[in-house]
Amino acid sequence: MSEIDDLKKKTKETFELAGQLLSAQCQKFLNLWNQKDASSTKRLLLTGVVLAFLLLGFVSGTAAMMGSVVAGVGSKINQNGEQASLLQFVFQRRYTLPGKQKDGSFVFSNFERARDVKAWQAIAAHVEISEKRPASGKQSAQVTYFGGGEVSAFTLEDYFQGWGALRNWSSYESFRLYIFNPRNETERLILQIKDLEGKRYKEDLHVPGGSGKEFSIPVTKIGASINVRNIDQFSIFRWEPKNDLDFYFDDIRLVPKGFQEQEDARVAATRKPVAPAKERPVNMLNYGFASRKPAWTLADSGTLGEVVRIPFIVKNETTTFANDFPAEGGIPFPMGELKTPEQIQIHDAQGKNVPFEARILSRWPDGSIRWLGVSVRTTLPPMDGAGYYLDYGPNIQPETFPTGLNVEEDANSIAVSTGTMKVEFNKKSFYFFKRVSIDQNKNQTIELEEEVMADGALVLTFKGEEYQANLDKKTYTIEVEENGRERVVIKASSWFESAKGKRFCQAVLRYYFYSGKSFVKVSHTLVYTGYPENKYYDKYKGLNLPPNEPIGSFGLRLPHKFSVDPQKNQIQMGRNESGSEEFLLGNTLELYQTDYDHVVLEKDGAKTGLASRDGFYSGWLDVSKENFGVTVALRNLREEFPKAFRVDREKGEILIELWPEKSGVLDLSTTSNAMGPEDRARGNAFGLAKTHELLFYFHGNDPKEIQPADAVGPFMKPLVIRVNPYWMDATGALGRLYPTSDRFGTEEKMLSDLFDWAARHPKDFKWFGMLNFGDTLTWWRDEDDDQEYAGFGWHPIGRWGWYNCEGVGTHTGSLIQFARSGEWKYFEFGRNLARHIMDVDTVHYNTIENDSRLKGILNDEVSKVGSMHRHSGDHWSGRNEA
């Protein structure tokens, strides 16, 4: 309420009161007049005259004062040397605060006098003087914040509004106050300081449990948000409190500049000299596990003695049944605790030991195990989970389980048997599979006539010519990278080579085999070794450089034995909504994912259907005949467009096109879009890589066997080991990691909402494509230094547009949130971003150093292996120049 409005209100009330008094006196005067009592009449007449003069004086004074207020001259000086208006002087409450002290500080309240609390307002709260928990002196203010409402506050407002007292804080260094929290848990209060223009400064005050804390906020920090020369109020409040809480306040003051240095000097002068402490070694990696270990230890575990037990869970995030499927992940250990994987065992919630595979991922500086990669088989219904325990201790001897895995290697080949499948690789030529056989008659023996696939080529086209990995006889290598009882990994790498002996781009593949399983997971990485043209970078202008070298297409060509009876060749296509769709083959069937929202299905060259937004194909197909079939699955088919599956009965092949030829060339050159602020077209794609993850499931036609959809589901959304977050924190393997907690519900919701906001943008704005998937944009604008756009939107300009996973808290932040919470959404987002930075954002091959056309002409700083790309504006999304 303004001073004029307040004046009008009080004037009206006074007039009403004066009118009532005057009316009463007039009535008495009439009564006496009627009684003809002369003496009484004279007295009454005199009283009326005096009252009339008083009323007239009040009206005149009020009008004069109102005029002075309007003119801005009706004011007086208060105790602090600042102006207070005459209206305030007459009507407002007066507060005598401790005020300015000899040391130069200004004390609003130290609560040593009962009247100190009268300056304060309690909103949905109660305040009183207390002898408990003072910071200094004998007393403090006990403030009870009431729960159940929207806000509960302890505020100093009328003091500023009524007297204008110390509105100007600019000559002070900091605002300080002391708060004691008697509860065991840390509690949050909110400090708000407001200026006369209504601008607000806010800061969270986290008060530790069972102790007091002095908060000091620099005036310069406050001045960044509000006008510190015209302060209107400050308050300390709780927002949406659930229950009543007590706090103790004391020593609320403004501290002058240089005060802290003087105080430190005074304390130092009275302190006795202390002998310097002896140096002692500090272990920077000691996270205090020794004191936490008893909580995780089973003191009496039968014949095993003392063991440490680590809980973890596995959850099936799919709508399919995961039958004895491998779940994988990393489990951390404190430094010095575990020396060898031979001292662990894993059992389910019922105490039954289960088979597992363990491999060391990293070690602590003392050589002990920091992270252990674990693979364990589990059976889970759709959207269901199960708990497991890993025990370790010096007396543990892991149980040996039977395994179907066996690796045979000689000078010419490597053969991996799983118990139900045998896959052979040629050491001389890189065929995708040299030979695949499965136990079709279930006699636990793989026989020659049970072969289901042979050879298979990794193919790539460049300038209209086909290149194959199996033609590389010079640099092709294949090795057994892991050889365990539950998991075997084979790694192969080579160049793509043409029939004329020319080489272009590299392939690196890893094959993952599991005991008892007739499927193999494949990680297929293409490394670009060509020259990505850049006509816009100033340093490249005028140089004799080769022409742009785009990739025409690349993928897998797998021979397949079809039935001679066309009616026996059945095909299933996975659907997002309806599960799967069945077809009779005919001669050809092709699924072509053109972009995120469009996919075309053609049978014998004619379109048979165009998928709608509500029913896209999910990325797998199954080709079966009388006695066996093969399922091929490609993770993230839609998101990593363009992609195509083609089944050709006449050619006898299944073609998996990771970049279809009909999409045009994969052009990695730098365009004009890379020209942005402070930089000129530094985009490059030297040594870029791209990894695709596939599953091949070979099966018979027995209905008892795992159905294709059930084999594919846990591959599309992997079964990930989720370690107890409190164990994660106890080990220190990720530093200090506080698990998600309801105690910090507001903060946890804020983090979750912020993540959801970031995660939905790629879906809402379709930030997809083979080389864009796993990245995000950063600039929302309608113009920049170089050009204007049609309207606000995400507009990439060179390296300023795409995040390239460089922002702190993108992939790392989401994966830490997964470690804290175990929620799938964080893992999926973080995995996609981590894969993108490992592939697209990192240089894998030094093109300049290894290409005679470029060496000595270009600086290889932009092409060194392990360095990071500076992206072009369109992020190499594969421009179609066909």
Side-chain angles (χ1 to χ4, degrees):
M1 181 180 293
S2 69
E3 293 187 4
I4 294 178
D5 290 336
D6 200 14
L7 177 60
K8 290 178 180 179
K9 178 182 177 182
K10 294 184 180 298
T11 301
K12 181 180 178 181
E13 292 174 352
T14 305
F15 270 120
E16 290 176 352
L17 179 60
Q20 292 173 5
L21 291 173
L22 186 59
S23 176
Q25 290 297 325
C26 290
Q27 185 62 46
K28 289 183 179 180
F29 177 77
L30 291 174
N31 293 339
L32 291 172
W33 183 270
N34 292 333
Q35 294 175 4
K36 296 184 170 42
D37 185 337
S39 61
S40 297
T41 301
K42 290 179 181 179
R43 288 196 300 272
L44 184 60
L45 181 60
L46 180 60
T47 301
V49 171
V50 172
L51 182 61
F53 273 106
L54 286 175
L55 185 59
L56 179 62
F58 173 79
V59 173
S60 301
T62 299
M65 185 167 61
M66 182 177 292
S68 69
V69 169
V70 174
V73 298
S75 60
K76 65 179 274 124
I77 304 300
N78 66 18
Q79 62 175 350
N80 299 298
E82 295 178 327
Q83 288 189 334
S85 70
L86 183 59
L87 176 61
Q88 294 169 339
F89 181 77
V90 174
F91 291 113
Q92 292 287 349
R93 290 179 293 172
R94 303 184 190 185
Y95 307 116
T96 305
L97 298 186
K100 201 164 187 177
Q101 306 296 302
K102 292 181 179 180
D103 59 10
S105 64
F106 183 92
V107 176
F108 292 104
S109 293
N110 55 16
F111 305 108
E112 295 303 311
R113 304 169 303 177
R115 62 176 177 270
D116 279 1
V117 299
K118 294 181 180 180
W120 293 83
Q121 286 182 288
I123 303 171
H126 175 73
V127 57
E128 61 183 26
I129 293 294
S130 172
E131 295 182 356
K132 298 179 180 178
R133 315 298 187 184
S136 59
K138 298 181 179 180
Q139 297 180 149
S140 66
Q142 179 180 346
V143 179
T144 302
Y145 289 92
F146 298 142
E150 183 178 42
V151 67
S152 176
F154 178 49
T155 180
L156 188 64
E157 180 174 17
D158 282 350
Y159 176 64
F160 294 103
Q161 290 183 348
W163 288 90
L166 206 63
R167 290 191 188 279
N168 187 353
W169 292 8
S170 61
S171 62
Y172 290 88
E173 182 177 87
S174 61
F175 172 74
R176 297 188 183 183
L177 72 161
Y178 173 87
I179 309 175
F180 186 93
N181 171 22
R183 291 171 55 83
N184 293 328
E185 299 84 9
T186 297
E187 297 290 348
R188 181 184 70 137
L189 294 172
I190 304 172
L191 169 68
Q192 176 177 277
I193 305 174
K194 189 177 72 170
D195 65 17
L196 270 177
E197 298 175 3
K199 296 179 181 178
R200 290 172 170 81
Y201 168 83
K202 285 186 179 181
E203 181 168 331
D204 286 352
L205 307 178
H206 295 279
V207 191
S211 62
K213 181 177 180 180
E214 181 183 71
F215 295 90
S216 179
I217 299 96
V219 171
T220 54
K221 181 179 179 182
I222 300 170
S225 302
I226 64 175
N227 182 3
V228 295
R229 296 178 181 274
N230 215 358
I231 300 296
D232 185 43
Q233 64 152 258
F234 64 81
S235 58
I236 305 102
F237 65 91
R238 297 180 68 212
W239 183 255
E240 295 182 346
K242 296 181 179 179
N243 47 14
D244 297 356
L245 289 183
D246 288 338
F247 293 88
Y248 296 89
F249 291 83
D250 201 2
D251 200 25
I252 304 175
R253 68 172 64 205
L254 286 167
V255 174
K257 295 177 181 179
F259 175 83
Q260 190 60 52
E261 289 80 357
Q262 297 175 17
E263 185 68 13
D264 292 343
R266 184 187 64 79
V267 173
T270 59
R271 186 182 297 133
K272 294 181 180 180
V274 180
K278 294 182 180 180
E279 292 186 5
R280 57 181 181 178
V282 177
N283 188 345
M284 298 299 293
L285 299 176
N286 184 354
Y287 290 92
F289 180 73
S291 62
R292 299 183 178 197
K293 187 173 181 178
W296 303 94
T297 301
L298 300 179
D300 184 7
S301 185
T303 58
L304 298 179
E306 185 178 278
V307 300
V308 177
R309 175 160 293 176
I310 307 169
F312 66 89
I313 64 170
V314 178
K315 185 177 179 182
N316 180 5
E317 297 282 349
T318 75
T319 57
T320 59
F321 196 90
N323 184 18
D324 199 34
F325 207 90
E328 297 176 293
I331 297 180
F333 296 85
M335 187 169 66
E337 282 294 301
L338 186 65
K339 304 295 184 181
T340 170
E342 299 301 318
Q343 295 178 331
I344 69 172
Q345 66 180 13
I346 296 178
H347 57 87
D348 60 21
Q350 289 72 42
K352 179 182 177 182
N353 285 354
V354 296
F356 67 92
E357 186 75 41
R359 64 194 187 283
I360 299 172
L361 299 179
S362 67
R363 295 183 181 273
W364 291 97
D366 68 350
S368 61
I369 295 172
R370 183 172 186 170
W371 284 94
L372 200 63
V374 173
S375 176
V376 58
R377 282 182 276 167
T378 185
T379 297
L380 294 171
M383 305 304 293
D384 199 1
Y388 293 87
Y389 297 97
L390 183 150
D391 293 346
Y392 71 87
N395 298 325
I396 288 180
Q397 294 182 351
E399 181 178 347
T400 300
F401 291 88
T403 178
L405 279 177
N406 182 51
V407 178
E408 299 175 356
E409 183 175 5
D410 57 31
N412 297 313
S413 66
I414 295 176
V416 180
S417 298
T418 67
T420 59
M421 173 182 69
K422 183 176 182 179
V423 177
E424 299 175 52
F425 298 95
N426 189 316
K427 278 191 169 183
K428 305 299 183 182
S429 297
F430 187 11
Y431 293 102
F432 185 69
F433 295 121
K434 179 57 182 174
R435 182 178 293 106
V436 180
S437 305
I438 61 172
D439 185 11
Q440 297 179 42
N441 58 18
K442 309 301 180 188
N443 65 353
Q444 300 183 352
T445 302
I446 307 295
E447 292 144 354
L448 186 62
E449 60 271 16
E450 292 181 316
E451 176 185 302
V452 295
M453 184 174 288
D455 296 332
L458 285 76
V459 296
L460 177 145
T461 62
F462 174 55
K463 294 183 178 179
E465 190 174 357
E466 184 171 276
Y467 290 64
Q468 296 182 16
N470 57 283
L471 297 177
D472 175 17
K473 309 296 183 182
K474 298 178 182 178
T475 56
Y476 163 54
T477 60
I478 188 167
E479 61 179 314
V480 181
E481 197 170 57
E482 291 182 32
N483 189 358
R485 297 180 61 82
E486 288 294 313
R487 186 173 102 153
V488 166
V489 180
I490 305 296
K491 178 188 176 183
S493 60
S494 76
W495 281 79
F496 289 94
E497 191 167 313
S498 72
K500 298 177 182 179
K502 294 183 292 184
R503 304 201 305 177
F504 185 70
C505 296
Q506 296 176 337
V508 180
L509 274 72
R510 283 181 170 85
Y511 300 82
Y512 299 83
F513 298 90
Y514 299 89
S515 176
K517 301 304 173 186
S518 62
F519 61 74
V520 54
K521 294 195 296 185
V522 179
S523 171
H524 176 293
T525 302
L526 174 83
V527 179
Y528 175 65
T529 63
Y531 170 67
E533 187 177 61
N534 189 337
K535 295 181 178 179
Y536 301 92
Y537 190 23
D538 291 340
K539 293 184 178 181
Y540 288 5
K541 291 180 179 179
L543 300 179
N544 184 22
L545 297 173
N548 185 41
E549 294 181 328
I551 298 172
S553 64
F554 70 94
L556 307 172
R557 186 166 60 231
L558 308 177
H560 185 75
K561 299 176 183 178
F562 292 92
S563 173
V564 295
D565 183 355
Q567 300 297 315
K568 299 296 184 180
N569 294 308
Q570 300 286 335
I571 294 182
Q572 286 187 72
M573 291 277 191
R575 298 279 291 194
N576 283 358
E577 302 297 332
S578 57
S580 64
E581 187 174 357
E582 295 186 0
F583 304 90
L584 285 175
L585 174 57
N587 289 324
T588 62
L589 186 71
E590 182 181 72
L591 179 74
Y592 177 34
Q593 188 79 41
T594 61
D595 60 32
Y596 183 73
D597 282 333
H598 297 91
V599 59
V600 178
L601 186 67
E602 293 185 354
K603 182 178 179 182
D604 296 331
K607 293 182 180 179
T608 61
L610 186 65
S612 68
R613 290 176 179 269
D614 298 325
F616 281 96
Y617 294 97
S618 56
W620 66 268
L621 67 83
D622 180 81
V623 183
S624 296
K625 60 178 186 178
E626 296 93 338
N627 56 340
F628 79 91
V630 57
T631 304
V632 180
L634 176 61
R635 190 179 289 163
N636 301 317
L637 173 81
R638 287 185 66 192
E639 291 83 358
E640 300 204 46
F641 68 83
K643 294 288 179 284
F645 291 139
R646 181 177 176 84
V647 182
D648 194 320
R649 187 173 64 86
E650 292 182 341
K651 292 183 178 180
E653 67 181 21
I654 300 172
L655 189 62
I656 304 166
E657 297 184 273
L658 301 178
W659 184 275
E661 187 174 3
K662 63 172 60 178
S663 296
V665 297
L666 175 55
D667 186 354
L668 303 177
S669 65
T670 299
T671 72
S672 59
N673 288 342
M675 301 171 69
E678 302 177 16
D679 205 355
R680 305 301 288 182
R682 291 197 295 164
N684 70 76
F686 287 111
L688 172 147
K690 177 59 189 177
T691 298
H692 292 89
E693 295 171 286
L694 303 102
L695 179 81
F696 295 85
Y697 170 48
F698 302 96
H699 59 87
N701 276 342
D702 188 341
K704 295 181 181 179
E705 291 194 49
I706 298 175
Q707 296 304 300
D710 289 333
V712 167
F715 164 74
M716 295 298 199
K717 287 190 173 183
L719 304 180
V720 181
I721 288 175
R722 311 179 196 199
V723 181
N724 185 295
Y726 288 94
W727 173 258
M728 285 273 197
D729 176 53
T731 66
L734 293 175
R736 283 277 74 93
L737 183 80
Y738 197 86
T740 54
S741 171
D742 291 339
R743 286 175 50 197
F744 305 103
T746 301
E747 290 78 6
E748 299 290 3
K749 185 178 186 302
M750 178 197 70
L751 287 175
S752 180
D753 290 347
L754 181 62
F755 170 83
D756 292 342
W757 176 87
R760 70 171 175 261
H761 276 83
K763 297 177 182 178
D764 291 347
F765 292 95
K766 307 300 191 319
W767 293 339
F768 297 123
M770 191 183 78
L771 298 179
N772 287 343
F773 180 57
D775 208 346
T776 58
L777 284 170
T778 59
W779 276 24
W780 175 270
R781 57 187 186 262
D782 63 347
E783 62 180 23
D784 54 49
D785 293 345
D786 296 325
Q787 59 184 305
E788 293 185 358
Y789 300 97
F792 278 103
W794 296 101
H795 299 294
I797 289 296
R799 67 189 182 99
W800 303 96
W802 289 96
Y803 232 157
N804 307 337
C805 299
E806 295 168 8
V808 176
T810 49
H811 58 298
T812 304
S814 58
L815 290 175
I816 287 177
Q817 277 295 91
F818 172 69
R820 293 184 64 235
S821 67
E823 289 190 52
W824 169 263
K825 67 177 184 180
Y826 297 120
F827 170 79
E828 184 175 44
F829 186 84
R831 177 198 61 184
N832 293 340
L833 267 65
R835 172 64 72 186
H836 176 90
I837 195 172
M838 289 168 61
D839 284 344
V840 179
D841 289 346
T842 304
V843 178
H844 299 262
Y845 176 78
N846 194 330
T847 309
I848 295 175
E849 178 67 24
N850 292 288
D851 192 330
S852 59
R853 303 171 302 172
L854 306 173
K855 188 175 182 179
I857 299 176
L858 298 181
N859 188 335
D860 78 336
E861 286 295 324
V862 298
S863 185
K864 285 186 176 179
V865 174
S867 61
M868 208 170 174
H869 287 126
R870 295 182 178 93
H871 290 172
S872 59
D874 55 8
H875 206 272
W876 309 311
S877 56
R879 295 174 294 280
N880 188 337
E881 296 186 359

